[in-house]
Short mmCIF file of all heavy atoms in Angstrom, two decimals:
data_model
loop_
_atom_site.label_atom_id
_atom_site.label_comp_id
_atom_site.label_asym_id
_atom_site.label_seq_id
_atom_site.Cartn_x
_atom_site.Cartn_y
_atom_site.Cartn_z
N ARG A 95 -3.48 12.62 2.61
CA ARG A 95 -4.91 12.88 2.46
C ARG A 95 -5.64 11.55 2.72
O ARG A 95 -5.19 10.47 2.50
CB ARG A 95 -5.24 13.24 0.92
CG ARG A 95 -6.70 13.63 0.72
CD ARG A 95 -6.83 14.12 -0.78
NE ARG A 95 -8.20 14.62 -0.94
CZ ARG A 95 -9.21 13.90 -1.43
NH1 ARG A 95 -8.98 12.63 -1.78
NH2 ARG A 95 -10.39 14.46 -1.69
N ALA A 97 -9.85 10.57 2.46
CA ALA A 97 -11.21 11.06 2.12
C ALA A 97 -11.84 10.04 1.12
O ALA A 97 -11.17 9.21 0.48
CB ALA A 97 -11.08 12.42 1.53
N LEU A 98 -13.13 10.29 0.93
CA LEU A 98 -13.89 9.56 -0.08
C LEU A 98 -13.35 10.03 -1.46
O LEU A 98 -13.26 11.31 -1.73
CB LEU A 98 -15.42 9.77 0.01
CG LEU A 98 -16.00 9.21 1.25
CD1 LEU A 98 -17.48 9.56 1.23
CD2 LEU A 98 -15.83 7.76 1.45
N HIS A 99 -13.03 9.17 -2.37
CA HIS A 99 -12.38 9.49 -3.58
C HIS A 99 -13.22 8.94 -4.75
O HIS A 99 -13.36 7.63 -4.79
CB HIS A 99 -10.96 8.82 -3.60
CG HIS A 99 -10.00 9.37 -4.70
ND1 HIS A 99 -9.67 10.65 -4.90
CD2 HIS A 99 -9.40 8.67 -5.63
CE1 HIS A 99 -8.90 10.73 -5.91
NE2 HIS A 99 -8.67 9.52 -6.46
N MET A 100 -13.59 9.75 -5.63
CA MET A 100 -14.48 9.29 -6.71
C MET A 100 -13.80 9.06 -7.96
O MET A 100 -14.37 8.66 -8.99
CB MET A 100 -15.51 10.38 -6.95
CG MET A 100 -16.38 10.73 -5.81
SD MET A 100 -17.28 9.21 -5.16
CE MET A 100 -18.26 8.77 -6.61
N TRP A 101 -12.45 9.19 -8.06
CA TRP A 101 -11.72 9.17 -9.33
C TRP A 101 -10.80 7.94 -9.49
O TRP A 101 -9.91 8.03 -10.24
CB TRP A 101 -10.94 10.44 -9.43
CG TRP A 101 -11.83 11.66 -9.40
CD1 TRP A 101 -12.71 12.07 -10.38
CD2 TRP A 101 -12.21 12.44 -8.23
NE1 TRP A 101 -13.47 13.12 -9.95
CE2 TRP A 101 -13.18 13.40 -8.61
CE3 TRP A 101 -11.68 12.48 -6.92
CZ2 TRP A 101 -13.68 14.32 -7.76
CZ3 TRP A 101 -12.25 13.41 -6.09
CH2 TRP A 101 -13.16 14.35 -6.46
N GLU A 102 -11.16 6.84 -8.81
CA GLU A 102 -10.49 5.63 -9.14
C GLU A 102 -11.14 4.91 -10.26
O GLU A 102 -12.10 5.40 -10.83
CB GLU A 102 -10.35 4.76 -7.87
CG GLU A 102 -9.51 5.26 -6.78
CD GLU A 102 -7.96 5.11 -7.09
OE1 GLU A 102 -7.65 4.61 -8.17
OE2 GLU A 102 -7.21 5.44 -6.17
N GLU A 103 -10.82 3.68 -10.58
CA GLU A 103 -11.47 2.78 -11.59
C GLU A 103 -12.91 2.76 -11.06
O GLU A 103 -13.20 2.73 -9.83
CB GLU A 103 -10.86 1.45 -11.69
CG GLU A 103 -9.53 1.47 -12.32
CD GLU A 103 -8.34 1.85 -11.50
OE1 GLU A 103 -8.63 2.22 -10.30
OE2 GLU A 103 -7.24 1.79 -12.00
N PRO A 104 -13.93 2.86 -11.97
CA PRO A 104 -15.40 2.80 -11.46
C PRO A 104 -15.69 1.64 -10.57
O PRO A 104 -16.45 1.81 -9.58
CB PRO A 104 -16.06 2.62 -12.83
CG PRO A 104 -15.24 3.28 -13.81
CD PRO A 104 -13.85 2.94 -13.42
N CYS A 105 -15.07 0.48 -10.78
CA CYS A 105 -15.39 -0.60 -9.90
C CYS A 105 -14.76 -0.49 -8.47
O CYS A 105 -15.16 -1.15 -7.53
CB CYS A 105 -14.83 -1.95 -10.47
SG CYS A 105 -13.12 -1.94 -10.84
N ILE A 106 -13.82 0.48 -8.32
CA ILE A 106 -13.22 0.72 -7.07
C ILE A 106 -13.95 1.91 -6.32
O ILE A 106 -14.32 1.78 -5.15
CB ILE A 106 -11.70 1.08 -7.19
CG1 ILE A 106 -10.89 -0.05 -7.81
CG2 ILE A 106 -11.15 1.38 -5.83
CD1 ILE A 106 -10.91 -1.32 -6.93
N SER A 107 -14.24 2.96 -7.11
CA SER A 107 -15.01 4.09 -6.48
C SER A 107 -16.41 3.89 -6.25
O SER A 107 -17.01 4.30 -5.30
CB SER A 107 -14.72 5.30 -7.33
OG SER A 107 -13.38 5.82 -7.33
N GLY A 108 -17.07 3.17 -7.27
CA GLY A 108 -18.49 2.82 -7.16
C GLY A 108 -19.32 4.19 -7.00
O GLY A 108 -18.81 5.18 -7.52
N LYS A 109 -20.32 4.15 -6.31
CA LYS A 109 -21.17 5.36 -6.16
C LYS A 109 -20.81 6.22 -5.01
O LYS A 109 -20.97 7.45 -4.98
CB LYS A 109 -22.62 4.94 -6.12
CG LYS A 109 -23.22 4.31 -7.39
CD LYS A 109 -24.69 3.91 -7.28
CE LYS A 109 -25.26 3.37 -8.49
NZ LYS A 109 -26.72 2.94 -8.48
N GLU A 110 -20.48 5.54 -3.96
CA GLU A 110 -20.22 6.29 -2.65
C GLU A 110 -18.75 6.78 -2.56
O GLU A 110 -18.51 7.79 -1.85
CB GLU A 110 -20.41 5.31 -1.44
CG GLU A 110 -21.88 4.92 -1.30
CD GLU A 110 -22.24 3.80 -2.22
OE1 GLU A 110 -21.32 3.20 -2.88
OE2 GLU A 110 -23.45 3.50 -2.35
N GLY A 111 -17.82 6.21 -3.34
CA GLY A 111 -16.44 6.65 -3.35
C GLY A 111 -15.59 5.62 -2.58
O GLY A 111 -15.99 4.89 -1.77
N SER A 112 -14.29 5.65 -3.00
CA SER A 112 -13.33 4.76 -2.30
C SER A 112 -12.74 5.54 -1.18
O SER A 112 -12.43 6.71 -1.26
CB SER A 112 -12.23 4.47 -3.36
OG SER A 112 -11.24 3.66 -2.71
N GLY A 113 -12.47 4.84 -0.05
CA GLY A 113 -11.91 5.48 1.12
C GLY A 113 -10.42 5.52 0.99
O GLY A 113 -9.69 4.72 1.53
N ALA A 114 -9.96 6.44 0.24
CA ALA A 114 -8.53 6.57 -0.18
C ALA A 114 -7.66 7.22 0.91
O ALA A 114 -7.99 8.27 1.44
CB ALA A 114 -8.37 7.35 -1.47
N PHE A 116 -3.89 8.44 1.11
CA PHE A 116 -2.69 8.71 0.39
C PHE A 116 -1.47 8.77 1.33
O PHE A 116 -1.35 9.69 2.06
CB PHE A 116 -2.82 10.00 -0.44
CG PHE A 116 -3.79 9.91 -1.57
CD1 PHE A 116 -5.10 10.04 -1.38
CD2 PHE A 116 -3.36 9.61 -2.84
CE1 PHE A 116 -6.06 9.97 -2.42
CE2 PHE A 116 -4.16 9.63 -3.89
CZ PHE A 116 -5.63 9.72 -3.68
N GLN A 128 1.73 12.50 -10.82
CA GLN A 128 0.87 13.62 -10.64
C GLN A 128 0.68 14.12 -9.19
O GLN A 128 0.18 15.16 -8.91
CB GLN A 128 -0.53 13.26 -11.17
CG GLN A 128 -1.20 12.08 -10.43
CD GLN A 128 -2.50 11.75 -10.99
OE1 GLN A 128 -3.08 12.45 -11.82
NE2 GLN A 128 -3.03 10.55 -10.63
N ASN A 159 -16.77 2.56 -0.17
CA ASN A 159 -16.95 1.22 -0.68
C ASN A 159 -15.79 0.33 -0.22
O ASN A 159 -15.80 -0.88 -0.22
CB ASN A 159 -16.82 1.31 -2.18
CG ASN A 159 -18.12 1.84 -2.79
OD1 ASN A 159 -19.15 1.70 -2.25
ND2 ASN A 159 -18.01 2.62 -3.96
N ASN A 162 -8.76 2.17 0.56
CA ASN A 162 -7.88 2.26 -0.53
C ASN A 162 -6.49 2.73 -0.08
O ASN A 162 -6.27 3.92 0.10
CB ASN A 162 -8.44 3.14 -1.63
CG ASN A 162 -7.70 3.13 -2.84
OD1 ASN A 162 -6.65 2.55 -3.08
ND2 ASN A 162 -8.20 3.80 -3.92
N VAL A 164 -3.11 3.89 -0.78
CA VAL A 164 -2.50 4.42 -1.98
C VAL A 164 -0.90 4.65 -1.62
O VAL A 164 -0.64 5.44 -0.84
CB VAL A 164 -3.03 5.73 -2.48
CG1 VAL A 164 -2.37 6.32 -3.73
CG2 VAL A 164 -4.59 5.59 -2.74
N ASN A 192 -3.21 -0.36 -3.34
CA ASN A 192 -3.05 0.43 -4.59
C ASN A 192 -1.60 0.81 -4.65
O ASN A 192 -1.21 1.78 -4.06
CB ASN A 192 -4.02 1.63 -4.60
CG ASN A 192 -4.15 2.37 -5.87
OD1 ASN A 192 -3.29 2.16 -6.73
ND2 ASN A 192 -5.11 3.21 -6.00
N LEU A 213 -3.84 -3.85 -6.42
CA LEU A 213 -4.03 -2.98 -7.57
C LEU A 213 -2.66 -2.39 -7.98
O LEU A 213 -2.50 -1.20 -7.81
CB LEU A 213 -5.04 -1.93 -7.30
CG LEU A 213 -5.49 -1.05 -8.43
CD1 LEU A 213 -6.35 -1.87 -9.41
CD2 LEU A 213 -6.50 0.06 -7.94
N GLN A 215 0.34 -1.01 -10.42
CA GLN A 215 0.35 -0.29 -11.70
C GLN A 215 1.55 -0.79 -12.48
O GLN A 215 2.65 -0.91 -11.95
CB GLN A 215 0.40 1.25 -11.50
CG GLN A 215 -0.80 1.80 -10.66
CD GLN A 215 -0.69 3.32 -10.63
OE1 GLN A 215 -0.24 3.94 -11.49
NE2 GLN A 215 -1.17 3.79 -9.50
N ASN A 274 -22.24 1.02 -11.61
CA ASN A 274 -21.86 2.34 -11.47
C ASN A 274 -22.17 3.25 -12.71
O ASN A 274 -22.34 4.43 -12.59
CB ASN A 274 -20.37 2.45 -11.18
CG ASN A 274 -20.00 3.86 -10.79
OD1 ASN A 274 -20.46 4.46 -9.91
ND2 ASN A 274 -18.96 4.41 -11.57
#
Side-chain angles (χ1 to χ4, degrees):
R95 185 174 187 269
L98 295 179
H99 191 62
M100 299 302 301
W101 301 280
E102 291 288 2
E103 292 80 356
C105 55
I106 300 295
S107 291
K109 294 181 178 179
E110 294 79 12
S112 177
F116 289 83
Q128 63 181 345
N159 287 327
N162 185 356
V164 183
N192 190 343
L213 191 64
Q215 299 183 36
N274 187 55

